[in-house]
């Protein structure tokens, strides 16, 4: 077979094109490897945490539940599940643990009962579900998601929400399931010494999660038992879309924990997302820190977790600590409690 010079040149040209395409594909894959395809952050409450009072045994317990929550959410995202599914998966272990002020470990109201709040939001279409002041719901985040999926309303409260839960087959639990000695003593101490909720709640044990899935969708969820000794049907920021929870694919997903009255007044979760959506040239960390500074200026404290469309998982809190963790598809996986403990850089703003 006789091969012409033109054929040889053509073959070489095609080879160079193929080689170039291969290098380009390799470069694109490398870039993809550097950018998280999925990302997750969780929190178990912020507050005045004292390292001297954190025994090694207690720290192990907290880190074990945080790790379980992080792994549960990560497993959903790594298998191609949605951000909304991952948020629920991450929150469930914390609701089931007596260590956190959500679900099983919820604080007592003034009347010695438990009133639970939760919310969840999907950044794809900004659909949201929230429940407030419910009793006997084992996993409030699942009820919030049922409200979101139903789609007729955003927030249901009290007996009405419980009736809705019954119709949806949401699992319930008796009062003793939620009873914990530590929370009972906190209420007794509050009444005996005429203390405020903040005097007995040195930390806010609200739990939450934010996620970015492999389809580029964001979601956020938050669950809490509120404040010790709360009365008159008090509701904090956790079930309020825009205050304690917000997700928008155009900007970020946020879950908050702290003194709810101040988070409501600032509209913390949506305020952070809106500032990022407006793209004023500030980094997500700077924006989150600025909004948390506003909370502090008004007299409140607490913290937030957020995930961006680029997969950045960040924290910002104006307290000495926040139970937290983050993981992504690049291999990052860590949990922390006090300020500055992250291995991959700190994103907190401890001020006192």
């Amino acid at each position: 077979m006789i091969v012409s010079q033109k054929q040889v040149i053509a073959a070489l040209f095609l080879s160079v094109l193929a080689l170039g395409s291969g290098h380009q594909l390799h470069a694109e894959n490398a870039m993809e490897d550097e950018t998280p395809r999925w990302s997750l952050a969780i929190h178990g409450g912020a507050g005045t945490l004292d390292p001297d009072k954190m025994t090694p045994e207690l720290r192990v317990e907290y880190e074990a539940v945080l790790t379980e929550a992080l792994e549960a959410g990560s497993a959903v995202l790594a298998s191609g599940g949605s951000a909304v599914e991952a948020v629920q998966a991450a929150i469930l272990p914390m609701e089931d643990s007596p260590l956190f002020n959500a679900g099983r470990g919820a604080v007592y109201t003034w009347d010695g009962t438990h009133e639970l709040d939760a919310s969840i939001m999907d950044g794809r279409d900004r659909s949201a579900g929230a429940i407030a002041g419910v009793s006997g719901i084992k996993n409030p985040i699942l009820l919030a998601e049922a409200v979101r999926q139903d789609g007729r309303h955003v927030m249901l409260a009290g007996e009405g929400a419980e009736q809705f839960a019954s119709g949806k087959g949401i699992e319930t639990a008796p009062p003793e399931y939620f009873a914990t000695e530590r929370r009972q003593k906190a209420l007794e101490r509050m009444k005996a010494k005429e203390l405020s909720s903040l005097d007995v709640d040195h930390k806010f044990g609200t739990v939450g999660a934010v996620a970015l899935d492999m389809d580029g969708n964001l979601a956020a969820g938050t669950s809490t038992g509120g404040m010790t000794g709360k009365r008159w049907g008090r509701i904090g920021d956790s079930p309020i879309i825009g205050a304690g929870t917000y997700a928008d694919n155009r900007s970020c997903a946020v879950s908050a924990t702290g003194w709810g009255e101040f988070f409501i007044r600032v509209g913390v979760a949506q305020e952070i997302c809106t500032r990022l959506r407006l793209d004023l040239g500030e980094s997500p960390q700077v924006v989150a820190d600025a909004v948390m500074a506003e909370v502090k200026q008004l007299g409140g404290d607490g913290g937030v977790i957020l995930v961006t469309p680029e997969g950045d998982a960040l924290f910002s809190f104006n307290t000495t600590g926040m139970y937290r963790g983050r993981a992504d598809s690049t291999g990052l996986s860590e949990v922390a409690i006090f300020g500055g403990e992250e291995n991959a850089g700190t994103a907190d703003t401890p001020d006192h």
Side-chain angles (χ1 to χ4, degrees):
M1 179 179 179
I2 300 174
V3 180
S4 68
Q5 184 180 21
K6 288 184 178 181
Q7 288 174 312
V8 172
I9 293 174
L12 288 172
F13 180 69
L14 291 172
S15 297
V16 171
L17 281 178
L19 184 61
S21 298
H23 283 305
Q24 182 180 1
L25 181 61
H26 178 74
E28 290 174 352
N29 288 338
M31 289 179 64
E32 289 178 358
D33 289 342
E34 293 173 3
T35 303
R37 294 179 299 126
W38 59 262
S39 188
L40 174 71
I42 63 171
H43 72 76
T48 306
L49 308 178
D50 186 351
D52 294 333
K53 295 182 180 179
M54 177 65 70
T55 66
E57 294 79 13
L58 186 58
R59 180 169 188 131
V60 168
E61 289 183 40
Y62 273 108
E63 289 182 343
V65 180
L66 290 171
T67 299
E68 181 184 357
L70 202 59
E71 290 177 346
S74 297
V76 171
L77 295 170
S79 63
S82 73
V84 168
E85 292 169 334
V87 163
Q88 294 173 80
I91 288 176
L92 287 174
M94 293 186 285
E95 285 186 334
D96 290 342
S97 170
L99 294 175
F100 300 100
N101 177 20
R104 185 181 177 193
V107 298
Y108 283 86
T109 68
W110 183 264
D111 296 323
T113 61
H114 300 89
E115 294 177 356
L116 313 171
D117 311 323
S119 62
I120 193 166
M121 188 168 186
D122 189 336
R124 288 177 293 188
D125 55 5
R126 283 175 283 171
S127 60
I131 51 97
V134 303
S135 298
I137 303 299
K138 184 178 180 182
N139 292 109
I141 194 63
L142 297 183
L143 179 52
E145 172 61 8
V147 173
R148 187 193 72 82
Q149 287 189 12
D150 182 77
R152 287 175 288 178
H153 306 290
V154 170
M155 179 183 287
L156 300 179
E159 292 183 6
E162 293 163 16
Q163 291 172 10
F164 176 84
S166 177
K168 294 294 183 179
I170 301 296
E171 186 176 2
T172 60
E176 53 268 26
Y177 171 80
F178 302 94
T180 56
E181 182 179 1
R182 180 166 61 110
R183 303 299 191 191
Q184 179 68 50
K185 288 182 176 179
L187 178 63
E188 292 171 355
R189 190 166 68 252
M190 177 184 182
K191 288 186 173 183
K193 298 183 179 181
E194 297 184 354
L195 302 173
S196 71
S197 296
L198 298 177
D199 290 324
V200 295
D201 285 336
H202 298 295
K203 68 178 183 65
F204 304 100
T206 296
V207 305
V210 291
L212 168 72
D213 63 32
M214 288 197 283
D215 291 324
N217 296 312
L218 296 166
T222 312
S223 180
T224 189
M227 301 184 81
T228 297
K230 61 183 180 180
R231 306 171 78 175
W232 311 300
R234 179 264 184 190
I235 302 296
D237 65 302
S238 296
I240 298 179
I241 300 301
T245 301
Y246 201 75
D248 185 340
N249 278 8
R250 300 173 297 175
S251 54
C252 66
V254 177
S255 174
T257 171
W259 195 344
E261 280 70 14
F262 293 94
F263 280 72
I264 293 171
R265 289 163 61 184
V266 175
V268 166
Q270 187 171 14
E271 178 72 6
I272 292 172
C273 289
T274 298
R275 291 191 190 188
L276 290 177
R277 181 168 57 83
L278 293 175
D279 193 15
L280 302 176
E282 297 176 316
S283 72
Q285 188 65 62
V286 168
V287 169
D289 291 347
V291 174
M292 286 307 303
E294 277 190 53
V295 172
K296 186 176 183 181
Q297 287 170 2
L298 292 179
D301 59 2
V304 296
I305 57 174
L306 66 149
V307 166
T308 69
E310 294 73 33
D312 298 317
L314 307 172
F315 312 104
S316 181
F317 50 96
N318 57 21
T319 56
T320 56
M322 180 167 73
Y323 298 102
R324 62 201 185 276
R326 57 185 173 184
D328 63 34
S329 55
T330 69
L332 171 67
S333 182
E334 60 187 12
V335 296
I337 297 176
F338 301 102
E341 289 186 341
E342 282 83 12
N343 296 323
T346 168
D348 52 40
T349 55
D351 293 319
H352 63 274

